[in-house]
Amino acid sequence: MAKTLKKADVVVVGLGWASSIVANECAKAGLKVVALERGANQDTSDFLGAHDEYKYVNNFALKQDLSKESVTFRNESKQMALPMRKNYSFDVGNNVGGAGVHWNGMSYRFLPYDFELKSMTEQRYGKNKISKDYSIQDWGLSYDEMEKYYDKAEKMMGISGEDKSPFSGKRKNPFPNPPLEKTTMLHKFEKAAKKLGYNPCMVPAANCSQPYENSDKQSLGACQYCAFCEHFGCEYAAKASPLITTIPSALATKNLSIITHANVIEILHKNGRASGVKFINTLTLEEFIQPAEVIMLGSYVFNNARLLMHSKIGEIYDEKSLKGTLGKNYSFQITPSVNGFFDEPFNVYLGAGALCNWIDDFNGDNFDHSKLDFIHGASFRISQNGARPIASNPIEPGTPTWGAAFKKASVRNYTRFTYIGAQGASLPHNSNYLSLDPTYKDAYGLPLIRITYDYTKQDRKLYDFMLPKLAGIMKEMGARKFYTSPKLTNYGLVSNGWYGSTHIAGGTIMGAKKEESVVNTYLQHWDMPNLFVVGASNFPHNPGYNPTLTINALAYRASEGIIKFFKEKRLLA
Ligand SMILES: Cc1cc2nc3c(=O)[nH]c(=O)nc-3n(C[C@H](O)[C@H](O)[C@H](O)COP(=O)(O)OP(=O)(O)OC[C@H]3O[C@@H](n4cnc5c(N)ncnc54)[C@H](O)[C@@H]3O)c2cc1C
């Protein structure tokens, strides 16, 4: 029988960026918070000199353990979904801090267009621009309403950037820190982009360009450009992560307790009200009940949706009838790219997760779509993340992939190679969604989440449009040879051949109307006012950027909602 623990004001499920922001804001407001994290505890000292590429990159040390839990996947509903057995496409976070520990730090604000996608598209191009097969919708909050939450998130994270993109929404305050240093590669991109009439600028980075004291009086160090950023924890405490910002701030209030190895398996509820959660200690397999006044799910896209489905909260989306909102609007990202080989070397062994230059000229509605058969677009970015020795073996097509010729080419190209990647928006389609798998279960007996997903006509058009634009910049940069990414085939978990991203969205989407969303604009569940769900699962579509700054801004919005709920005890407007 499950042991019942002392009731908390707020229980947060998972302890990544989303939950830790809510935990910190609620703890500062005097609420007693319990955080339940399925992974282990960790801190900056764990990452000192920890440059083992094989452990962290190839063997996914900080990622979800797939022997315990995975996802299943199929391209369409008539197929049987099969489990993902390799952490490639989604490097889902585990442990205290979640994926916010081993992330890169690129921290864009979404475009004003993203928040009002449906109305702005219809206003400019008419109601028939996009077919009814796509369930696009507004988010219920405008960019102007989001601005103050973005500002809060940036000040907490110490974002380094420059306000130069003419397409970005208006900022009330400058970036907290100046941009990172530009390298030869970034200068080259900038020059080429300007020559082509585009508007390059430095990507907003959560890798601090200088020592910084954040809005919660937590100290961040200055980035050392060490290259062990993506997939690694930061040994210099220079990359913003929950471990050095929100969690120590919340712990200092003495209002936060963290329980690790606590895998939540169910949300308990009765008569439209949540009463707590049930979790399993993953080391002893004992079951516990953690009662709470408010429950907040911050367990990433997959488990946010899965826990609601398994606990029977809300109506699961049905592809045939189009009824139900839970699991709906699942979307990935469209990532065309171009690889360039140069004669002259770049200094690629230095780098930082978000040391990048970017253009937004082909993103959102920043260009005219009247003669195009897709909407939205992609941001383009050149990245100097630091070319780590094991993973960085750039060779041209046709070069042997082993032996002397491979080694020679790989050594020569190591520092003479770069790529420009596009992050393209992915719009929700009626046949792409999340549901519970009828066959496969996790180590604790819960059905796995099942992904039904394939690229759509819109995705393919967008992809094909972007390739020559990417190639044009690479050519202008002076590459000796360049190769664009292959044509889009069917989406596959491991078969894409390029970077898998955790930039997935949807499943528990937000909105102004109950009929078209799972949570309202405070991220409060429409059917259960003391339940809040936060993460990229709230995004009704997936914009052409990395998600985290917006997840964090929404977490500030949810915190405001939770604190308000304690006063008003009702569904918030
Ligand atoms: C290599 C890499 C690079 C990235 N780079 C960028 C970038 O540059 N910019 C950007 O915007 N984004 C980036 N991301 C994505 C970013 O890390 C995520 O968007 C962000 O961390 C999500 O935060 P979250 O709090 O929603 O979820 P998570 O960080 O996944 O946190 C969720 C937590 O919940 C826990 N959990 C899950 N289920 C349960 C359960 N049942 N019970 C208890 N605990 C549970 C997990 O263990 C985890 O700790 C990157 C991701 C990776 C993997």
Side-chain angles (χ1 to χ4, degrees):
M1 194 159 125
K3 184 178 168 194
T4 301
L5 304 175
K6 191 174 162 216
K7 188 173 177 182
D9 291 324
V10 181
V11 62
V12 299
V13 177
L15 197 54
W17 270 127
S19 295
S20 69
I21 289 172
V22 169
N24 185 28
E25 292 306 292
C26 291
K28 286 191 294 180
L31 298 169
K32 293 285 179 200
V33 183
V34 171
L36 300 173
E37 166 56 48
R38 68 181 172 186
N41 210 346
Q42 55 187 351
D43 63 38
T44 301
S45 65
D46 293 317
F47 307 122
L48 292 176
H51 291 186
D52 184 342
E53 200 182 340
Y54 205 69
K55 173 178 172 185
Y56 289 101
V57 185
N58 299 50
N59 282 336
F60 310 104
L62 301 174
K63 320 287 167 59
Q64 172 171 282
D65 177 357
L66 295 186
S67 71
K68 299 252 163 41
E69 185 186 329
S70 185
V71 298
T72 68
F73 163 72
R74 58 186 181 174
N75 279 124
E76 52 180 309
S77 59
K78 61 179 186 230
Q79 296 171 335
M80 180 180 173
L82 294 172
M84 175 176 86
R85 302 211 185 265
K86 193 171 178 208
N87 245 329
Y88 180 73
S89 215
F90 316 112
D91 288 343
V92 176
N94 205 19
N95 299 335
V96 169
V101 173
H102 56 260
W103 73 315
N104 282 46
M106 298 166 205
S107 301
Y108 305 88
R109 292 181 176 202
F110 290 172
L111 293 164
Y113 176 63
D114 280 313
F115 295 99
E116 295 173 83
L117 183 64
K118 186 164 195 275
S119 8
M120 286 190 179
T121 303
E122 289 183 355
Q123 204 178 357
R124 186 163 175 194
Y125 304 108
K127 281 199 188 294
N128 298 326
K129 180 69 184 169
I130 190 139
S131 97
K132 296 250 177 310
D133 298 339
Y134 295 85
S135 47
I136 67 162
Q137 63 193 55
D138 294 350
W139 292 36
L141 282 178
S142 65
Y143 172 85
D144 289 345
E145 288 166 303
M146 283 291 290
E147 207 282 335
K148 68 174 177 178
Y149 306 112
Y150 272 133
D151 188 58
K152 273 189 163 201
E154 286 174 347
K155 286 180 177 149
M156 178 272 289
M157 298 161 80
I159 303 300
S160 303
E162 54 185 4
D163 185 16
K164 274 195 182 164
S165 170
F167 307 108
S168 300
K170 278 212 171 65
R171 311 173 53 86
K172 201 163 152 234
N173 291 306
F175 283 99
N177 286 306
L180 291 167
E181 296 291 336
K182 261 177 235 163
T183 59
T184 313
M185 183 195 290
L186 267 49
H187 274 299
K188 233 180 200 333
F189 174 87
E190 188 182 65
K191 203 168 148 208
K194 276 190 182 153
K195 183 119 189 265
L196 293 168
Y198 307 146
N199 295 276
C201 65
M202 290 296 282
V203 164
N207 322 100
C208 261
S209 59
Q210 59 185 14
Y212 175 70
E213 186 181 82
N214 85 356
S215 43
D216 288 318
K217 305 267 175 250
Q218 301 298 318
S219 296
L220 282 82
C223 179
Q224 303 299 305
Y225 301 88
C226 76
F228 290 86
C229 202
E230 178 182 62
H231 300 293
F232 294 82
C234 180
E235 63 187 302
Y236 303 105
K239 175 172 66 172
S241 101
L243 298 183
I244 54 168
T245 55
T246 41
I247 296 174
S249 166
L251 287 172
T253 65
K254 306 225 179 317
N255 286 333
L256 170 67
S257 324
I258 301 173
I259 306 180
T260 55
H261 302 104
N263 194 91
V264 174
I265 52 170
E266 192 179 348
I267 303 158
L268 305 168
H269 60 98
K270 210 173 168 186
N271 302 329
R273 225 171 156 92
S275 56
V277 294
K278 191 190 258 190
F279 69 91
I280 294 185
N281 178 308
T282 59
L283 302 177
T284 64
L285 301 185
E286 286 170 284
E287 286 193 0
F288 295 88
I289 289 172
Q290 175 62 63
E293 197 59 30
V294 164
I295 284 98
M296 179 262 167
L297 297 187
S299 48
Y300 190 60
V301 172
F302 295 133
N303 276 349
N304 282 354
R306 187 165 82 120
L307 284 169
L308 292 182
M309 289 179 188
H310 180 66
S311 311
K312 300 194 171 24
I313 302 173
E315 187 181 353
I316 299 180
Y317 172 70
D318 174 50
E319 182 187 351
K320 287 200 184 92
S321 66
L322 306 182
K323 286 209 180 109
T325 50
L326 180 55
K328 200 177 164 221
N329 285 33
Y330 175 79
S331 43
F332 192 64
Q333 254 179 349
I334 314 307
T335 51
S337 62
V338 58
N339 289 342
F341 293 83
F342 288 74
D343 285 327
E344 71 279 19
F346 303 117
N347 206 4
V348 292
Y349 35 84
L350 64 78
L355 180 57
C356 316
N357 208 287
W358 135 76
I359 64 160
D360 234 359
D361 298 72
F362 298 106
N363 199 4
D365 201 26
N366 301 339
F367 58 110
D368 185 13
H369 291 72
S370 17
K371 295 203 174 77
L372 300 171
D373 41 12
F374 65 92
I375 61 165
H376 215 302
S379 59
F380 293 3
R381 181 180 72 218
I382 194 155
S383 307
Q384 185 151 349
N385 304 140
R388 293 181 305 263
I390 295 179
S392 311
N393 292 294
I395 50 168
E396 288 182 55
T399 311
T401 51
W402 55 280
F406 165 73
K407 284 184 196 152
K408 193 171 165 213
S410 149
V411 168
R412 177 170 166 81
N413 291 330
Y414 170 69
T415 193
R416 294 179 173 82
F417 168 83
T418 188
Y419 78 97
I420 307 170
Q423 283 196 90
S426 163
L427 302 189
H429 190 272
N430 292 341
S431 57
N432 289 334
Y433 59 95
L434 297 175
S435 53
L436 287 182
D437 193 281
T439 312
Y440 293 97
K441 296 193 167 48
D442 69 9
Y444 313 106
L446 257 71
L448 296 186
I449 197 84
R450 178 177 61 183
I451 303 168
T452 306
Y453 182 82
D454 208 349
Y455 296 125
T456 63
K457 203 169 145 200
Q458 142 87 26
D459 296 336
R460 292 169 201 281
K461 297 279 179 192
L462 187 152
Y463 185 96
D464 291 345
F465 178 86
M466 298 303 165
L467 283 181
K469 312 277 181 221
L470 290 161
I473 305 177
M474 192 58 95
K475 189 172 175 207
E476 188 60 45
M477 281 176 71
R480 172 175 56 78
K481 281 263 180 72
F482 53 90
Y483 305 90
T484 50
S485 49
K487 225 177 160 43
L488 266 193
T489 52
N490 292 100
Y491 173 79
L493 285 188
V494 286
S495 63
N496 285 319
W498 55 86
Y499 189 66
S501 97
T502 33
H503 305 172
I504 55 173
T508 72
I509 58 175
M510 61 187 286
K513 294 185 217 143
K514 184 177 168 179
E515 314 80 80
E516 57 180 35
S517 51
V518 173
V519 291
N520 65 19
T521 64
Y522 281 102
L523 299 318
Q524 181 185 34
H525 200 284
W526 285 110
D527 296 334
M528 208 166 280
N530 67 335
L531 174 64
F532 291 73
V533 187
V534 187
S537 56
N538 300 138
F539 302 174
H541 70 276
N542 207 348
Y545 296 120
N546 308 57
T548 308
L549 188 76
T550 304
I551 297 173
N552 292 2
L554 288 174
Y556 278 106
R557 168 83 177 170
S559 311
E560 199 177 290
I562 293 171
I563 292 163
K564 209 166 155 160
F565 175 81
F566 270 92
K567 292 190 191 118
E568 302 178 17
K569 301 275 160 121
R570 64 176 180 88
L571 196 63
L572 306 165

